[in-house]
Amino acid sequence: IRLSLVGSEMCIRDRNKYWMYETIDETLKNSFYRDPRIEAEISVLEGQVLDDKISSFIAAKRLLDLYFGGKAE
């Protein structure tokens, strides 16, 4: 019985940890995509990526730099 209880506690802990990170991820994503600077620039950069003018990595870095105030590495 003790082993199953320990397993259940671990499962609950893992689930709690998962939801902590899931909440952080979702909050950051929502904040990023709702930022007016990102909203204004994302379609421009997306078009450049689709036209092979810039790489997807450069576009992502530019958006992240814009979001984080030029501090993204």
Side-chain angles (χ1 to χ4, degrees), residues 3-66:
L3 287 177
S4 65
L5 181 60
V6 170
S8 295
E9 287 175 8
M10 288 300 290
C11 186
I12 291 169
R13 288 168 140 186
D14 289 344
R15 216 174 347 186
N16 288 340
K17 178 181 167 185
Y18 167 82
W19 283 113
M20 180 185 79
Y21 284 106
E22 191 65 22
T23 301
I24 292 167
D25 289 345
E26 194 63 29
T27 301
L28 287 171
K29 244 194 291 191
N30 285 336
S31 176
F32 178 83
Y33 286 112
R34 289 181 180 162
D35 186 298
R37 299 166 300 165
I38 300 304
E39 288 178 341
E41 191 68 18
I42 197 166
S43 61
V44 172
L45 289 172
E46 183 179 290
Q48 291 177 356
V49 168
L50 293 173
D51 291 340
D52 288 325
K53 293 181 179 175
I54 61 172
S55 77
S56 57
F57 300 103
I58 290 172
K61 178 150 181 6
R62 287 182 184 170
L63 290 168
L64 291 168
D65 283 349
L66 182 62

